[in-house]
Amino acid sequence: MIKGKAVKVTRYIGPEGTLVRKPSEAQLFSDESLADVAAEVANGWVVDVLIPNRKPPAPSKPVKSNQSWMRGGC
């Protein structure tokens, strides 16, 4: 789990100063005073963000066409 603070104006502020929609794409600050300064400059507010670790995607099974499985799995 990733913990940090992000600055929110109308959306979250990204690493390059652009506005991003997802908190996982936002610039995270570990220091609260640094986040407060960034929020003051951007005219926004500080938000606590928790980003859960993502599970790796399940391996996909090979897809057979309809006729292939009816014939016995060519």
Side-chain angles (χ1 to χ4, degrees), residues 5 7 27-40 46:
K5 301 196 179 293
V7 176
Q27 173 68 40
L28 296 181
F29 297 98
S30 58
D31 187 18
E32 188 171 350
S33 61
L34 186 60
D36 288 336
V37 169
E40 187 175 333
V46 178

Side-chain angles (χ1 to χ4, degrees), residues 3-4 7 10 12-14 16 20 22 32-33 41 57-58 65 67 74:
K3 297 179 182 179
V7 176
T10 55
Y12 297 98
I13 296 182
E16 291 132 17
V20 294
K22 298 179 184 177
E32 188 171 350
S33 61
V41 169
S65 66
Q67 293 177 355
C74 291

Side-chain angles (χ1 to χ4, degrees), residues 37-67:
V37 169
E40 187 175 333
V41 169
N43 199 16
W45 61 94
V46 178
V47 178
D48 289 328
V49 176
L50 296 173
I51 302 172
N53 294 336
R54 294 184 179 226
K55 296 180 183 177
S60 60
K61 297 179 181 178
V63 179
K64 297 180 181 178
S65 66
N66 189 19
Q67 293 177 355

